[in-house]
Amino acid sequence: MSAPTHSPVTEPLPRPSGLAGFAADWASDQRTFKNVSWGKAMMWIFLLSDTFVFGCFLVAYMSARMSTAVPWPNPSEVFALHIGGSDVPLILIAIMTFVLISSSGTMAMAVNYGYRRDRRKTAALMLLTALFGATFVGMQAFEWTKLISEGVRPWGNPWGAPQFGSTFFMITGFHGTHVTIGVIFLLIIARKVWRGDFETGKRGFFTSRKGQYEIVEITGLYWHFVDLVWVFIFAFFYLW
């Protein structure tokens, strides 16, 4: 009887040093995305690309504001609400910001309970997050309606620089679209969590692996990004 043959064990190639080693890590996908699922990695790549888009919008806004020869409208006056016989500056924007930032807290708790496999609390917190997001979009729709009724258009406004209307509708509209999409996904995932699709492994979109609540975290990544972008919009557009 012949002795069993053993295939030779190949030793791993040594990691190059310096810049070559850094490039090798990224190219081989061994360190940068180690133990990271494709869903989470793709969400991070999407968020990175979306960061460039929002960054370009904000840079364009700042360039238009600093280069115009016509005075820029005062945000404290434009976004004021008439309450109790006096104008309260930025009160609606402050409430919108508070609502959206609060939704980040409820989303973080939903992710926490998701990994604990407490599906009822996870679904409830995701629904609460969606409610916060829908409230934000509703207040933004009210803000748009108010400004349109006062004469703001993408090509002009009654308070000064005509670029104000185009940049306002472009930036807030693009962000509001992201929030709306996020609310829709929150409702879809919350429904699946509530039905127990992640426990039974029911086949369908986002629920192909039994016992996996990672999609809740991926949705949370998107939602936290939307909240973070609003902080920059709030600082550059409403406070500057």
Side-chain angles (χ1 to χ4, degrees):
M1 184 175 181
S2 60
T5 59
H6 298 279
S7 58
V9 178
T10 59
E11 294 292 333
L13 296 176
R15 178 181 180 273
S17 60
L19 185 60
F22 177 79
D25 283 343
W26 276 78
S28 62
D29 195 30
Q30 291 298 309
R31 296 176 184 272
T32 306
F33 295 113
K34 189 175 183 180
N35 298 326
V36 176
S37 67
W38 276 110
K40 193 182 296 185
M42 292 302 103
M43 176 55 73
W44 277 113
I45 292 174
F46 167 76
L47 296 181
L48 179 62
S49 64
D50 223 20
T51 300
F52 291 131
V53 176
F54 276 106
C56 290
F57 282 175
L58 290 175
V59 169
Y61 160 74
M62 289 185 288
S63 299
R65 180 165 180 173
M66 290 186 295
S67 62
T68 180
V70 182
W72 197 264
N74 186 354
S76 297
E77 298 176 358
V78 175
F79 300 105
L81 288 182
H82 193 72
I83 301 175
S86 60
D87 291 333
V88 182
L90 300 177
I91 181 63
L92 179 63
I93 311 304
I95 297 174
M96 291 168 60
T97 304
F98 175 79
V99 168
L100 203 59
I101 297 302
S102 298
S103 70
S104 273
T106 56
M107 188 69 239
M109 289 190 289
V111 173
N112 185 14
Y113 282 111
Y115 278 110
R116 295 182 186 182
R117 296 190 177 182
D118 190 335
R119 61 185 182 88
R120 294 190 179 275
K121 290 182 180 179
T122 302
L125 286 165
M126 293 186 75
L127 290 174
L128 182 57
T129 305
L131 177 62
F132 280 140
T135 303
F136 175 88
V137 174
M139 288 188 291
Q140 191 172 65
F142 172 81
E143 178 191 34
W144 274 42
T145 303
K146 175 180 176 293
L147 293 182
I148 291 173
S149 65
E150 293 174 348
V152 180
R153 300 291 186 272
W155 52 85
N157 70 90
W159 300 295
Q163 297 94 331
F164 172 83
S166 59
T167 54
F168 169 76
F169 289 120
M170 177 184 66
I171 294 175
T172 60
F174 193 63
H175 178 265
T177 302
H178 278 68
V179 177
T180 303
I181 294 173
V183 169
I184 294 172
F185 271 96
L186 282 168
L187 294 175
I188 293 173
I189 302 302
R191 179 172 178 266
K192 290 179 176 293
V193 171
W194 184 265
R195 293 190 310 183
D197 290 359
F198 295 95
E199 298 297 335
T200 61
K202 181 178 179 180
R203 299 293 297 182
F205 289 108
F206 314 119
T207 55
S208 59
R209 290 180 296 172
K210 185 176 180 179
Q212 294 292 328
Y213 281 82
E214 188 180 62
I215 187 61
V216 178
E217 182 183 1
I218 294 174
T219 307
L221 289 174
Y222 176 86
W223 193 257
H224 293 318
F225 170 79
V226 170
D227 292 355
L228 180 62
V229 168
W230 176 254
V231 172
F232 285 94
I233 295 175
F234 177 75
F236 284 96
F237 202 94
Y238 294 99
L239 298 183
W240 181 17

